[in-house]
Amino acid sequence: MNILLTGGLGYIGSHTAVELLNAGHDVLVIDNLCNSSIDVKDRIEEITDKQIQFIETDIRIKEDIDNVFANNKIDAVIHFAGLKAVGESVQNPLYYYENNIAGTINLLQVMQKYNVKNLVFSSSATVYGTCQEMPLSEDSPTGAVNPYGRTKLFIEEMLKDLYTSDPSFNIIILRYFNPVGAHDSGIIGENPRGIPNNLMPYIARVSVGILDELSIYGDDYDTKDGTGVRDYIHVVDLACGHVASIDKLSENCGLAIYNLGTGTGYSVLEVVNEFNKVCGGKVKYKIAPRRDGDIAEYYASPKKANDELHWQAKKDLHSMCESTYNYQIKELNKNK
Ligand code: NAD
Ligand code: UFG
């Protein structure tokens, strides 16, 4: 199939492009490069030995998006493009609503105009809100607690309304848990600008001496060792979940929501200890106060995705840490 990836040079999009190309699909990427770089195109091509088409544009520019659909044969869209920093969304909510929601409305209107009605949307476990029974299933109550999370929830609601009005759409909403890790080649991975907010990229920078020490936010949660527990999923497993979703769309699946997680929760200390096995104990840490807005523990039930997408996460915590370290070392050496 010919698949358009919005935000396809970003962290999850680039790994998905690789898996789609490996599965024999053709890939067209649009990205405004606000959180990625053009080199990623070459790296995807180097890994796969295949070409992708790239157009630098912004989903908020409707004429440009219209031109992309007018000039290319597109069978399905995977919509990654979006801003994702929770803190920034609290500081600048209108930027998030404009980019994520207005951008998505443009995209959907153009898809409808050109009769392209197969969509996979990047949602997040953040839509589940707080105080839930674990594991989280797709039927667990939703309730986002920050502007970023609300953009995901509002888009999910918009997609349900769109599908009700036009059932010729096939829409898969994927709720990602905590994506981490990098491609085995070590040439694509997660490289956030500035100081990372998320655990794994922070640990990675401590492991190579770019940052001094990790602050573990709280060791007094009601969890196995007092530190926060999350369902970390290897980005390559996540990427394969998108290939499985593309297969599902061709069965005329209607609208479906799937959790993409492993079903296993790891604590911050477990992640640090595993990473230290990989890097030779270089991750120093201290215990710091809890971070505002964090919850103690959440992890997925991936059963619905296992059953209906015939997909299962295969990579373990060791592989998540090892691939992250490998990528971090390569990035460091490249910049020397
Ligand atoms: P990323 O920032 O690495 O990738 C997003 C890409 O979209 C970037 O390349 C960016 O340049 C591009 N982009 C942003 N706004 C755009 C616009 N208006 N027009 C065109 N391109 C635009 O993020 P990621 O981690 O790959 O996340 C991909 C999607 O998955 C996002 O929608 C994100 O909200 C969602 N998600 C991510 C996580 C995570 O922890 N990484 C978790 C759950 C959901
Ligand atoms: N943590 C630390 N120190 C750090 C960073 C994180 O101890 O420097 C802890 C957090 O307190 C939490 C765990 O590590 O217990 C994971 O934190 P992350 O910031 O890596 O991930 P979150 O679960 O907080 O949130 C991430 C994204 C959200 C997304 C969610 C689910 O930031 O946007 O995963 O996909 F919604």
Side-chain angles (χ1 to χ4, degrees):
M1 282 167 83
N2 296 309
I3 303 170
L4 171 67
L5 308 192
T6 72
L9 295 192
Y11 173 46
I12 302 169
S14 56
H15 289 82
T16 302
V18 167
E19 298 308 321
L20 289 168
L21 290 163
N22 286 341
H25 296 291
D26 289 317
V27 169
L28 162 62
V29 167
I30 59 175
D31 200 303
N32 68 358
L33 305 181
C34 72
N35 199 35
S36 53
S37 113
I38 188 67
D39 313 347
V40 174
K41 174 182 185 286
D42 299 336
R43 298 182 192 191
I44 294 168
E45 293 180 343
E46 186 185 333
I47 293 169
T48 58
D49 206 16
K50 291 183 178 163
Q51 302 292 302
I52 62 172
Q53 199 189 335
F54 173 64
I55 300 169
E56 183 177 343
T57 184
D58 191 306
I59 52 167
R60 288 168 296 177
I61 307 172
K62 200 161 180 184
E63 297 142 64
D64 277 16
I65 304 305
D66 195 295
N67 282 332
V68 169
F69 280 77
N71 297 326
N72 295 281
K73 181 182 174 303
I74 297 168
D75 301 309
V77 177
I78 308 184
H79 179 30
F80 297 104
L83 302 171
K84 61 169 184 177
V86 173
E88 186 185 46
S89 80
V90 175
Q91 302 297 319
N92 202 347
L94 296 182
Y95 177 44
Y96 271 65
Y97 288 123
E98 188 210 6
N99 195 84
N100 293 5
I101 298 187
T104 300
I105 293 172
N106 274 342
L107 175 71
L108 295 172
Q109 285 174 331
V110 175
M111 286 177 68
Q112 206 163 25
K113 175 174 170 189
Y114 287 92
N115 206 27
V116 176
K117 297 204 172 163
N118 290 312
L119 174 71
V120 178
F121 172 63
S122 298
S123 189
S124 167
T126 193
V127 300
Y128 288 118
T130 52
C131 301
Q132 310 266 354
E133 284 204 7
M134 295 300 140
L136 293 163
S137 81
E138 290 78 357
D139 297 327
S140 296
T142 53
V145 294
N146 56 59
Y148 164 68
R150 277 188 277 279
T151 68
K152 292 295 174 189
L153 198 50
F154 293 163
I155 294 169
E156 287 199 5
E157 294 303 316
M158 210 159 70
L159 292 173
K160 289 177 196 166
D161 289 337
L162 175 64
Y163 177 68
T164 304
S165 73
D166 182 352
S168 66
F169 266 96
N170 291 302
I171 299 174
I172 293 185
I173 294 171
L174 298 177
R175 292 178 178 159
Y176 311 151
F177 279 67
N178 287 52
V180 294
H183 192 262
D184 276 346
S185 63
I187 63 171
I188 55 171
E190 185 176 20
N191 195 6
R193 294 185 180 160
I195 296 178
N197 293 309
N198 297 118
L199 180 67
M200 195 63 101
Y202 202 106
I203 290 179
R205 289 191 190 177
V206 174
S207 73
V208 295
I210 298 174
L211 293 170
D212 288 341
E213 111 186 301
L214 171 74
S215 292
I216 295 185
Y217 297 137
D219 68 347
D220 56 353
Y221 285 108
D222 183 17
T223 58
K224 46 185 141 184
D225 58 22
T227 65
V229 168
R230 297 290 183 273
D231 186 339
Y232 298 96
I233 174 168
H234 196 297
V235 66
V236 172
D237 279 332
L238 193 69
C240 292
H242 293 75
V243 179
S245 299
I246 289 292
D247 293 344
K248 186 77 183 169
L249 287 175
S250 43
E251 294 170 14
N252 285 327
C253 60
L255 183 141
I257 301 179
Y258 298 105
N259 284 340
L260 293 186
T262 64
T264 302
Y266 288 106
S267 73
V268 177
L269 272 174
E270 285 175 320
V271 176
V272 172
N273 290 338
E274 195 59 46
F275 208 101
N276 270 333
K277 284 186 201 157
V278 168
C279 72
K282 285 181 278 191
V283 182
K284 286 185 286 172
Y285 64 85
K286 66 173 183 214
I287 304 299
R290 291 181 179 192
R291 182 170 69 176
D292 275 356
D294 269 357
I295 57 172
E297 171 168 52
Y298 63 81
Y299 52 93
S301 164
K303 187 173 184 317
K304 189 175 172 205
N306 298 164
D307 292 349
E308 295 183 16
L309 296 178
H310 313 295
W311 164 90
Q312 190 156 22
K314 295 189 179 117
K315 293 178 182 279
D316 61 11
L317 184 62
H318 183 79
S319 158
M320 299 179 208
C321 295
E322 191 175 49
S323 61
T324 303
Y325 185 58
N326 185 23
Y327 171 71
Q328 184 67 67
I329 293 279
K330 284 209 168 155
E331 281 296 297
L332 192 72
N333 291 339
K334 219 175 56 206
N335 296 328
K336 271 186 182 158

